[in-house]
């Protein structure tokens, strides 16, 4: 199957999840992440602000934005900027209907020590397929000091995803 066919398969699987299952999975995934040294040692985290069909990050982001520096992506053309998250009051709707922080973007990408990456599908050994914009494929190589963690629903885990040379492998994937 090519990437677009696989994206449709996963989209269908995610549609079948109930609200309760989505909440339970998100809690399970972030509980495991919170317990890991990767998270405990991290101080500057790039997360994502989840869309309705993605593993929910809103609770996690709000829980930790006071104790750690949390950043979110902001789409500008073909690139994403990294912008500090300062609460839901300073979020605005951006490209693809995603809520994004409205402050100034950071320029020192080296301080990001953990990046939590959304994806359409992952393999257990860290290969990832995204929504197809190539945004994270271009961003991740710039984050020289970041551990890359994928998060997903169980139904997004596949034995194999189509791999292209530009695809960046995750260091670990948490799913539930
Ligand atoms: N929550 C979240 N934020 C993110 C991403 C993401 O995957 N999730 N991105 C990760 O790159 C970047 C934005 N890229 C995105 C690319 C496509 C779509 C999207 O909804 N695409 C539609 C199809 C659109 C079309 O084909 O015209 C879809 O997947 O249904 C969303 C975000 C940065 N921010
Ligand atoms: N490092 C890169 N430099 C330039 N173009 C790239 C790079 N990585 C990916 N692209 C381009 O972006 C497009 C989408 O790539 P791909 O389907 O792998 O995205 P994805 O990993 O699913 O998306 P995303 O990373 O946004 O979640 C492709 O046309 C690809 O050629």
């Amino acid at each position: 199957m090519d990437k677009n066919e696989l994206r449709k398969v996963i989209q269908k699987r995610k549609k079948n999840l109930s609200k309760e299952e989505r909440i339970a999975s998100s809690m399970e995934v972030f509980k495991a992440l919170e317990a890991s040294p990767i998270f405990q040692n991290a101080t500057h985290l790039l997360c994502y602000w989840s869309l309705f069909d993605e593993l929910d990050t809103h609770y996690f982001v709000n829980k930790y934005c006071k104790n750690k520096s949390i950043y979110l992506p902001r789409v500008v053309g073909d690139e994403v900027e990294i912008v500090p998250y300062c609460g839901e009051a300073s979020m605005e709707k951006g490209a693809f209907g995603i809520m994004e922080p409205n402050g100034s973007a950071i320029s020192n990408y080296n301080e990001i020590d953990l990046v939590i990456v959304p994806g359409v599908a992952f393999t257990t050994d860290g290969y990832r397929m995204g929504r197809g914009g190539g945004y994270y494929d271009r961003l991740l190589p710039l984050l020289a000091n970041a551990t890359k963690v994928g998060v997903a629903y169980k139904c997004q885990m596949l034995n194999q995803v189509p791999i292209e040379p530009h695809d960046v492998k995750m260091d670990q994937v948490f799913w539930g």
Side-chain angles (χ1 to χ4, degrees), residues 6 9 13 26 30 34 52 60 81 84 99 109 145 148 159:
L6 268 182
V9 169
R13 289 191 188 174
S26 304
F30 282 106
E34 285 167 1
F52 76 98
F60 172 80
E81 296 180 328
M99 298 301 285
Y109 284 20
N145 298 319
K148 302 168 202 63
N159 290 330

Side-chain angles (χ1 to χ4, degrees), residues 46 72-77 79-83 94 100-105:
L46 173 63
L72 295 174
R74 182 166 67 204
V75 173
V76 181
E79 306 292 329
V80 290
E81 296 180 328
I82 299 177
V83 188
E100 304 172 333
N102 60 13
S104 304

Side-chain angles (χ1 to χ4, degrees), residues 3 7 128 130-138 164 166-167:
K3 283 190 171 185
R7 288 188 182 106
R128 163 182 179 274
R131 286 182 181 262
Y135 290 96
Y136 276 90
D137 295 326
R138 290 186 290 271
E164 294 178 79
H166 61 250
D167 287 326

